[in-house]
Every structure is written in structure tokens, then in C-alpha cells.
Amino acid sequence: MARKLSRSLLLLLPFLLGVPLAQGFSPLPLVLNTWPFKNATDAAWRTLVSGGTAVDAVENGCAVCETERCEGTVGFGGSPDEVGETTLDAMIMDGATMNVGAVGDLRRIKNAIGVARRVLDHTTHTLLVGDSATNFAESMGFTVEDLSTTTSKSLHSEWASKNCQPNFWRRVTPDPSKYCGPYKPSGSLEWAISAHKQVDIHNHDTIGMVVIHKTGHVAAGTSTNGLKFKIPGRVGDSPIPGAGAYAEDMIGAAAATGDGDILMRFLPSYQAVEYMRRGDHPTTACQKVIAKIQKYFPKFFGAIICANVMGSYGAACNKHPTFTQFSFMVYNSLRIQPTEEKVDCI
Ligand SMILES: *[C@@H]1O[C@H](CO)[C@@H](O)[C@H](O)[C@H]1NC(C)=O
């Protein structure tokens, strides 16, 4: 009897303490994004505060990085490919409907996440690529313009003057570790050195963002200009649902960053959401995903952020010679501003 009474008292406690205080315990809404891209976090938060949806917040947050060209690895004027062109990948996923809009190898359009949003809202497709994605964007009212800048042009000419080093070819002739292309298959394993060792924090960051709305709706998204000196046509993990990002209402969301050529083979964001579905804390879910990839690629460059619908969150990264700690941004109702947090890589 006494036990029953105390339990009902406990249940009543939030009401006795007053609703405002009880609400104060809820960390929602939550904005989480890869790297210390604070202005992106802030833009997503302001979108939520002014009545926007989780999808709106992801779009506006990532768009800030496209305008500011966060670290030169998001948006125009960064990561020229082998012919000197900057191309963009972006995705947005609505966890309430499981709809996705994405673009890969998008050319001559600056606002890639905006185009991804149009794919989400105005088509029943998931992913549009290349010049056709540009045509789609133009029909949706986006400006077609050159994405090159003085910086991207000089990055490219410096690369060309250094015999096109580094590049991402193997088993071709002439020897890609010494010469520029055009290349032909060599049929020999002589130059089978993995190009992946060249992918690190200096040439690949992506903004990946996860938003949990105060109503519990979940969204996630990404935007990047991909890998510096990539082979034209290369699309990374960012616009691939389940790889670059994934979101599902009632569970949570995740987003990844790093060497997309490796990451996309493991569907890390999907896998993290599955771990959370089985009850893992977001930190554990993130760590398990990194540990899985580590088994096959011990030196891969990559990190992942995870959040559940309760507002718990976490992150994990793979330890790499140039990458031992991963920074990400957090903004929730328990904070008064976007806060940078760090995890040690495992
Ligand atoms: C963030 O926004 C502030 C205010 O608009 C601006 O001064 C600052 O340069 C921005 N940060 C970056 C990294 O662009």
C-alpha cells in the first residue's frame, strides 16, 4: 500500500514541481552536426524556434555551410576534381514519411541542399545526378553559375603541375603514382596501392546534420563538395540514404563524414539507427558502427553522429594518424548557444 502510494507520488512529481520545470528536463529540440560548423547549428536552431519543421531546419542549417563554404569542403569553390570542376552532393531525409531527396555530382548550382529539398518536395524520385540534376534545378528556379573560384583554380593547377598527385587510380598505365592520365587498365597488380590512404581530415569534411523536433519528428541531411581531385563522376556517401545520413521517427537519426568511398559500403547511418532501435545509446550505436568498418579498413578516415528521439546523442570516430579527436556541434533546449563537443577516436 505504502509502496503503491509512493509510486503514484513519483508519477505526480513533475506536476507538483510545475510544468515549466518538468519541460525544462526535456532536451528537445535537438540539433547535432558534424564538425565545429557553429553558424550552421545556429541557423537550424533558429529555424526550429521560429516554427520550422525538422526538415526545414536541416535544409537551412546545411545551406549556411554552402554559403560560408565551411572549411572549403562544402559548397562552391572547393575540392576541384581532376578536370578542375567543383561538383556537389547533398541529401535531405524526412523521418516522418521516410521520403528522401538527394543530388549527386550536381554541377553549376550552389545550393545543393536546396535542390535536394526540391527533389524531396516536388518529385517521387530519391536521387538525381549530374547535368540532368542541373537541368532539374534550373527548372526549379535555381541560378546556373560557375562554381570555380581563384582558390579552386589554383588548387587544381598546383595538382596538375605535381603530376596529378594525389589521385585515386590504381592498376592503370601510365603509373598513376608518377604520371597524369589519360590512363588505361594495366592488368597488372603492380601499382595496387590503396588510394584511400590519401583521404584524411585535410581533404574531406561534410556537413552532416541531425534534427529532432520537439514533437519528436526526426530529419537528417548532408552537403559536401566531395573529395579533392576525385575522378569526374565520383559520388560519395553523402547523398546515399543510410550512408551519409538516415532518419526515422520513433527511433532517431545519424549522419556520417569522412572517406565516403569506404563509408558508403557499410551504410553506417542506417546501421546506427538500427542499433538505436534495438535499444543502444547513441554513443554505443556510433561506436559499434565505427568498430565494424575498422575490421575491414583499420586506417579509414571517418566519424559519425547519432541521436535518439529522447534527445540523447553521441558520436564516434576512427583513430587515424592525422585524426584523433572529432568535434561536433550540439544545440538543445538545455543550452543557451551552440556548443562544440569532442570525442576521442577509437
Ligand atoms: C558566422 O557568422 C558570423 C555572423 O554572421 C560571421 O561573422 C562569421 O564569419 C561566420 N563564421 C564563419 C566561419 O563563416
Side-chain angles (χ1 to χ4, degrees):
M1 183 67 190
R3 211 163 127 200
K4 217 169 197 172
L5 185 66
S6 62
R7 187 185 291 169
S8 42
L9 267 175
L10 263 180
L11 287 172
L12 273 173
L13 203 57
F15 300 97
L16 297 175
L17 288 171
V19 172
L21 186 56
Q23 276 178 347
F25 283 117
S26 167
L28 297 180
L30 168 69
V31 176
L32 196 63
N33 63 263
T34 58
W35 309 113
F37 300 153
K38 177 168 174 277
N39 287 355
T41 325
D42 208 38
W45 181 263
R46 279 186 282 106
T47 303
L48 293 173
V49 168
S50 57
T53 65
V55 169
D56 296 334
V58 168
E59 181 187 354
N60 293 343
C62 293
V64 163
C65 259
E66 291 173 348
T67 309
E68 290 184 353
R69 298 181 285 149
C70 293
E71 299 287 332
T73 58
V74 183
F76 69 99
S79 308
D81 65 14
E82 285 192 336
V83 295
E85 185 175 8
T86 296
T87 61
L88 308 179
D89 295 342
M91 176 199 2
I92 191 156
M93 178 161 187
D94 181 354
T97 58
M98 302 307 278
N99 281 339
V100 175
V103 285
D105 188 27
L106 178 71
R107 290 139 184 249
R108 303 184 303 282
I109 305 279
K110 286 183 176 172
N111 181 205
I113 190 97
V115 182
R117 177 72 192 265
R118 297 309 193 284
V119 175
L120 177 81
D121 284 349
H122 301 294
T123 80
T124 55
H125 292 320
T126 297
L127 172 62
L128 297 183
V129 301
D131 287 324
S132 306
T134 309
N135 295 342
F136 168 79
E138 195 174 12
S139 73
M140 289 285 122
F142 291 80
T143 307
V144 179
E145 57 196 316
D146 189 2
L147 302 189
S148 306
T149 58
T150 340
T151 312
S152 69
K153 282 177 186 156
S154 69
L155 269 173
H156 181 257
S157 53
E158 196 188 322
W159 172 82
S161 73
K162 285 191 303 186
N163 290 328
C164 309
Q165 305 301 315
N167 61 61
F168 298 91
W169 295 87
R170 60 177 178 174
R171 296 173 195 165
V172 291
T173 180
D175 180 352
S177 70
K178 295 195 179 77
Y179 306 105
C180 292
Y183 305 107
K184 288 196 164 71
S186 72
S188 127
L189 301 187
E190 198 180 340
W191 301 309
I193 310 154
S194 170
H196 285 116
K197 66 174 195 271
Q198 295 141 355
V199 180
D200 63 24
I201 193 165
H202 303 296
N203 70 358
H204 196 290
D205 300 350
T206 297
I207 181 160
M209 182 176 274
V210 160
V211 171
I212 318 279
H213 193 269
K214 64 178 191 295
T215 57
H217 288 311
V218 177
T222 58
S223 183
T224 183
N225 53 31
L227 201 52
K228 227 186 275 175
F229 316 126
K230 63 193 171 193
I231 299 171
R234 182 264 191 189
V235 171
D237 61 319
S238 300
I240 311 297
Y246 199 72
E248 189 176 344
D249 272 22
M250 315 297 289
I251 313 289
T257 178
D259 183 344
D261 292 302
I262 288 180
L263 287 168
M264 73 159 86
R265 302 169 191 172
F266 295 86
L267 293 179
S269 298
Y270 172 79
Q271 188 61 55
V273 171
E274 284 305 302
Y275 285 135
M276 291 190 280
R277 182 199 309 282
R278 291 181 226 161
D280 282 332
H281 185 275
T283 304
T284 314
C286 277
Q287 287 172 344
K288 282 184 174 175
V289 165
I290 295 294
K292 165 85 188 280
I293 306 173
Q294 248 169 11
K295 275 193 256 170
Y296 296 89
F297 298 97
K299 291 180 185 156
F300 85 102
F301 164 62
I304 184 165
I305 53 171
C306 303
N308 68 22
V309 280
M310 305 299 289
S312 301
Y313 60 87
C317 52
N318 187 41
K319 203 186 275 177
H320 180 283
T322 62
F323 183 52
T324 54
Q325 203 174 48
F326 170 57
S327 292
F328 59 101
M329 294 301 307
V330 184
Y331 204 162
N332 63 20
S333 67
L334 307 178
R335 294 165 199 269
I336 52 165
Q337 59 182 22
T339 314
E340 181 178 346
E341 290 197 18
K342 293 177 180 179
V343 282
D344 290 322
C345 297
I346 53 172

